Amino acid sequence: LDADALLVCCGVDGGESIGSRSAAHWLLEGAAGRDVLDEARLAPHLEELVLVVRRDRISAHVGGREAYDRLLPHLAAWGAEIHVCDEAEMEDADAVELFKISAFIEQLAGAERVAVPLTPVAKAEGGGWAPGAKMELEQWPLVQAYGLEGVARSGFFTMSHVIIDAWQPLQAVYAELDSVALDHLLGHSLRLTLQHWEEMTAALDAKTPGKRLALSERVVGEPLLSYFTYGTLRSTDLPGFNKQTIMFPRVSFGLRTGSETQVVGTGSNTKLGEAGFEGQPAQHMVVEAADPRSALRCARTYFFSLGALPADIFQAGGVLAPRLEEPPEEEEVALEAKWNDADLRLLVSLYLAMIDAAEAAILAFARAPNREGASSAAKEAATATFLAGAAARGATVTPEVQGSFRASLWTADHANVVAAPASKPRQLRVVRVTLGG
């Protein structure tokens, strides 16, 4: 930022500025990820905060003694100059306001170019967000007091200073995966995503193979879909937030695993027992999970059989045959004829090759000599490794299958803005390998 100072003015004095609130939460409360954007309330000790950051020093007006005690560890670590009312002044409302104005004037003394995180404005047409208006500052009570006759410079604050919009530069800082953000990602986002994933698998484990046939994609995916839908409710109206979502959570059975057209939060009523070839039971399913408040994504393919018939320990001669009290269900008997299937073994071989391809893409991206060519190197490594892995496992890769192989890399920041991974060096990256579609 080509500015003399960065101004952060919280609470009523700053017109409840969203940009100032986000900056205060990130700097002083340890907020990370989407929480930087949509933290709705200021903590009481931040309500009076006026922070001015310069290249060589920091100054802060903190209000009363309680706020001072709470913020002192942070501000002292920065060597900040702190403006705080004494107990006698706190008893006189007029004295408090005069102290605040005089502190504000002193904090900005000599600063001609002032950077302020202006609130983006929704575009009337075409969606998206336009930069905030400089006149937003003139609505701030503290700035209005600054321009009173005999207080500081008379007239509009925006006419006596060059105002620079700091919203986007600050968003780029918030988007970086620093130690605090990484701790939040692993301790919160990953934990919640894993919890809902395990709910999904537990529901499947609770069913016998025959009863699973009646399960629909909507029912199986409900924990993941509901988690994502609920988590995005608060984000719809956030300034600067990109509403377009990449890689929705989904559960797809059999022939539908190549389709990515499901509507987020709904799923499909397609049942496992009819999603395979010619309406037969599906042999596999694809599950993709998405954390609603970060770029964290997870995908797995599950198979409903081993591709070969194991020994039945309940049949005559089996070790548990004397303990069999009820015959197996008719659906499970019918499934046995379909489980010893060469197609399933081919799918398993191709999936193992895809796992190798994903690992190769990650290594190639990490070891690329320059960021510009990292994505291309990763995709090339993934394709070559997939073909080699399939051949090593005896799986025939037809031109159609090879043409349907895809390796994609991307990243998304806290505002859900998707970008090429090489352009954002300190963000969580996603590697996705697919076959079919």
Side-chain angles (χ1 to χ4, degrees):
L1 283 173
D2 183 18
D4 299 321
L6 170 67
L7 171 62
V8 173
C9 187
C10 296
V12 175
D13 291 315
E16 302 294 351
S17 164
I18 296 176
S20 293
R21 184 175 66 203
S22 296
H25 279 131
W26 185 82
L27 276 171
L28 299 166
E29 296 289 285
R34 190 73 49 78
D35 291 341
V36 179
L37 271 182
D38 68 0
E39 188 67 42
R41 294 183 178 180
L42 277 170
H45 60 278
L46 298 178
E47 287 286 352
E48 302 285 335
L49 177 68
V50 180
L51 193 67
V52 175
V53 181
R54 303 183 188 236
R55 296 182 186 277
D56 57 348
R57 64 186 186 276
I58 298 174
S59 61
H61 171 271
V62 298
R65 187 72 191 185
E66 182 179 349
Y68 173 82
D69 292 339
R70 289 289 301 273
L71 296 173
L72 181 60
H74 300 286
L75 298 176
W78 302 337
E81 177 186 273
I82 304 175
H83 300 263
V84 57
C85 290
D86 58 32
E87 294 182 3
E89 289 175 320
M90 289 299 294
E91 296 178 359
D92 186 341
D94 292 335
V96 169
E97 294 303 316
L98 287 175
F99 180 87
K100 187 185 304 180
I101 294 171
S102 63
F104 184 57
I105 294 171
E106 183 178 341
Q107 286 178 278
L108 285 176
E112 298 295 330
R113 301 174 61 84
V114 180
V116 183
L118 302 172
T119 307
V121 180
K123 294 181 180 178
E125 298 181 0
W129 299 88
K134 296 179 181 179
M135 290 303 293
E136 174 188 341
L137 270 71
E138 301 296 347
Q139 306 301 317
W140 296 5
L142 189 58
V143 170
Q144 291 175 344
Y146 181 91
L148 293 176
E149 190 71 31
V151 174
R153 299 182 186 180
S154 60
F156 291 112
F157 184 89
T158 53
M159 294 180 65
S160 58
H161 296 81
V162 177
I163 305 302
I164 301 170
D165 186 4
W167 177 276
Q168 286 301 335
L170 288 180
Q171 297 304 313
V173 174
Y174 305 153
E176 291 188 355
L177 193 66
D178 56 18
S179 59
V180 175
L182 181 60
D183 182 70
H184 183 272
L185 183 74
L186 298 178
H188 183 75
S189 301
L190 179 60
R191 178 178 57 81
L192 287 178
T193 303
L194 181 60
Q195 172 187 326
H196 289 86
W197 187 288
E198 290 176 342
E199 289 177 7
M200 180 268 300
T201 56
L204 280 173
D205 291 339
K207 301 288 186 181
T208 63
K211 292 188 180 298
R212 288 177 189 162
L213 299 179
L215 296 176
S216 67
E217 294 173 347
R218 184 196 304 271
V219 171
V220 174
E222 192 278 332
L224 299 175
L225 296 171
S226 296
Y227 169 55
F228 184 83
T229 303
Y230 178 77
T232 55
L233 290 178
R234 289 195 299 168
S235 302
T236 54
D237 297 320
L238 294 178
F241 182 76
N242 177 28
K243 298 180 182 180
Q244 183 180 2
T245 301
I246 185 170
M247 191 175 162
F248 293 131
R250 67 171 180 135
V251 171
S252 300
F253 296 149
L255 297 179
R256 289 174 44 80
T257 55
S259 172
E260 300 185 34
T261 59
Q262 297 186 60
V263 179
V264 62
T266 62
S268 163
N269 287 322
T270 302
K271 292 182 171 54
L272 176 61
E274 60 190 26
F277 183 68
E278 294 183 345
Q280 298 299 315
Q283 297 178 328
H284 72 297
M285 74 172 181
V286 167
V287 180
E288 297 189 73
D291 176 57
R293 300 175 64 78
S294 74
L296 183 65
R297 299 293 186 267
C298 180
R300 292 291 184 272
T301 297
Y302 289 94
F303 297 92
F304 296 111
S305 125
L306 300 176
L309 288 176
D312 191 341
I313 58 177
F314 290 102
Q315 287 186 350
V319 293
L320 295 182
R323 302 188 183 186
L324 182 62
E325 297 178 356
E326 298 181 4
E329 298 181 14
E330 293 182 4
E331 298 95 327
E332 296 178 23
V333 174
L335 280 176
E336 291 183 356
K338 304 181 183 301
W339 281 0
N340 191 10
D341 187 32
D343 288 343
L344 181 58
R345 292 195 292 273
L346 174 62
L347 286 175
V348 172
S349 296
L350 293 176
Y351 181 57
L352 293 174
M354 290 173 66
I355 294 175
D356 294 341
E359 294 178 347
I362 294 172
L363 288 175
F365 185 91
R367 294 172 178 173
N370 58 76
R371 288 193 299 171
E372 288 71 20
S375 294
S376 297
K379 294 177 182 180
E380 292 172 2
T383 302
T385 303
F386 169 71
L387 295 175
R393 295 175 174 88
T396 301
V397 179
T398 64
E400 291 78 10
V401 171
Q402 182 175 345
S404 68
F405 177 82
R406 297 284 186 276
S408 57
L409 294 90
W410 55 275
T411 187
D413 64 14
H414 65 299
N416 200 39
V417 177
V418 179
S423 65
K424 306 291 184 180
R426 295 187 64 187
Q427 289 186 9
L428 178 68
R429 299 176 176 87
V430 177
V431 176
R432 185 171 186 261
V433 177
T434 61
L435 189 65

